[in-house]
Amino acid sequence: MSETTVPATPAVPTPGPSRSRTLRGRGARIPLGALQIVLGLFYVFASALPKLIAHPSAAESFDKLGWGSTGMYLIGTLELAGGVALLIPLLSSVAAVALSALMVGAFIVNVTVLHGPYAATPLVLILPLALIAWARRSHNAELARLVRRRA
């Protein structure tokens, strides 16, 4: 009879700590990127555009607030800038924080002035924005480095 030997190392590499971390990171990057795209497009088309084209529903809300068209265009511009910045990797974390602050203001206005049925919408939007801000926080150091280099 012949003797068979078993190799000391397995033929298929087992995922070690660094390999499994990479796979999880890559697996999380795709849904996070998709979330950023969806939120960015939402802020550009569904939130900012009605304000920037002075859609009657947006104009009515801002007239009720007493902010008029100036406030409407200002908020629309901030939402447009935030939505576009969500799509730029280097700016995504800062944009998510800025849009979260804008949503806190929207919630406060909805509850105190408008008494609207959509008061929870800004709070719901803060959750994915906070996730993006946290997950992309490493971009903040790189952005700060670029800003310091330019100054």
Side-chain angles (χ1 to χ4, degrees):
M1 284 189 12
S2 68
E3 189 176 313
T4 57
T5 59
V6 178
T9 59
V12 178
T14 57
S18 62
R19 182 170 165 81
S20 65
R21 218 174 311 150
T22 305
L23 291 175
R24 268 185 270 151
R26 188 178 308 147
R29 237 182 315 178
I30 293 170
L32 187 64
L35 179 64
Q36 283 179 235
I37 291 169
V38 168
L39 277 177
L41 293 175
F42 168 79
Y43 275 104
V44 168
F45 291 108
S47 193
L49 190 62
K51 294 172 183 78
L52 295 175
I53 64 170
H55 190 271
S57 64
E60 180 183 331
S61 296
F62 280 89
D63 285 341
K64 186 188 264 188
L65 286 170
W67 295 359
S69 60
T70 304
M72 181 176 63
Y73 291 133
L74 177 65
I75 299 294
T77 303
L78 291 172
E79 289 176 344
L80 177 66
V84 170
L86 274 177
L87 303 175
I88 301 171
L90 192 60
L91 301 174
S92 59
S93 180
V94 173
V97 170
L99 285 170
S100 294
L102 197 61
M103 291 301 100
V104 168
F107 172 74
I108 291 169
V109 167
N110 265 304
V111 168
T112 59
V113 179
L114 296 177
H115 308 291
Y118 306 111
T121 303
L123 293 180
V124 170
L125 289 170
I126 288 174
L127 295 175
L129 288 169
L131 175 67
I132 292 168
W134 179 81
R136 303 290 192 210
R137 68 191 181 278
S138 63
H139 294 296
N140 293 341
E142 188 178 344
L143 181 61
R145 220 175 300 118
L146 282 172
V147 169
R148 278 190 221 117
R149 191 179 313 153
R150 298 261 176 171

